Amino acid sequence: MARIELVLGDITEQHVDVVVNAANSSLLGGGGVDGAIHRKGGPDILAECRKLRAGHYGRGLRTGQAVATTAGRLPAKWVVHTVGPVWSPTEDHSGLLADCYRNSLRAAADLGARTIAFPAISTGVYRWPIASAARVALTTVAEVSSDLPTIATVHFVLFDRAAYDAFRAATAP
Ligand code: APR
């Protein structure tokens, strides 16, 4: 099983093989992590996203799916874009949030990546409560990474202390 590390910081500054982007279905950029990755990573990332939209992903990326592009100028080899579910107080979308982590890990393993950095998917614009998102993230990564022996380390990169503490609490035995 992969080693799991919590990092308080900016995901665009992580020196890993794969950086995971909390994208939207258009794959054409946005705010939050998406905006930071495109801003720091440069135009090559968007150019590859546009090619994906012109090809296999003509209708965009579905929630829970994951697809890789170059990482451009980021200190990483690839960006894996995934679309998180929007929080709903009435419907349980936990399975779709788990799919984001599961499919991103699988995409990273297919690329031969050994290290991967995740943001707290869906916990910003998509309003998913951080404690619940942390539980889904950590449970899914522990489960899936045991079947992906080439993935050595998974970093959860939290942008603020509250998110970091929530993930820390979720790892507590
Ligand atoms: N590094 C690490 N984490 C970050 C960074 C960063 N540079 N910037 C923001 N975050 C954190 C946020 O604080 C939040 O905890 O990432 C988490 C996810 O927030 P969003 O980026 O808003 O992603 P999400 O909630 O999944 O919403 C996706 O927002 O930016 C748009 O195009 C994106 O439409 C999509 C939607």
Side-chain angles (χ1 to χ4, degrees), residues 147-172:
D147 298 335
L148 299 172
T150 55
I151 301 282
T153 310
V154 176
H155 300 264
F156 287 101
V157 184
L158 293 322
F159 207 42
D160 54 58
R161 170 56 68 178
Y164 181 89
D165 290 347
F167 270 72
R168 171 65 68 215
T171 54

Side-chain angles (χ1 to χ4, degrees), residues 8 18 33 39-40 43 45 52 62 64 70-71 81 115 143 149 158 169:
L8 179 59
V18 163
V33 174
R39 205 168 35 252
K40 297 268 192 78
I45 300 176
L52 291 168
R62 282 202 323 275
T70 176
H81 307 262
T115 57
E143 190 183 286
L158 293 322

Side-chain angles (χ1 to χ4, degrees), residues 27-93:
L27 279 177
L28 301 179
V33 174
D34 201 3
I37 284 173
H38 282 282
R39 205 168 35 252
K40 297 268 192 78
D44 292 353
I45 300 176
L46 186 58
E48 282 196 21
C49 287
R50 286 212 170 97
K51 275 190 208 145
L52 291 168
R53 286 300 310 274
H56 187 68
Y57 293 91
R59 298 157 60 95
L61 194 62
R62 282 202 323 275
T63 302
Q65 277 190 314
V67 69
T69 66
T70 176
R73 295 197 294 261
L74 297 182
K77 292 181 188 155
W78 300 280
V79 171
V80 167
H81 307 262
T82 191
V83 181
V86 176
W87 165 252
S88 159
T90 53
E91 290 166 53
D92 178 6
H93 294 313

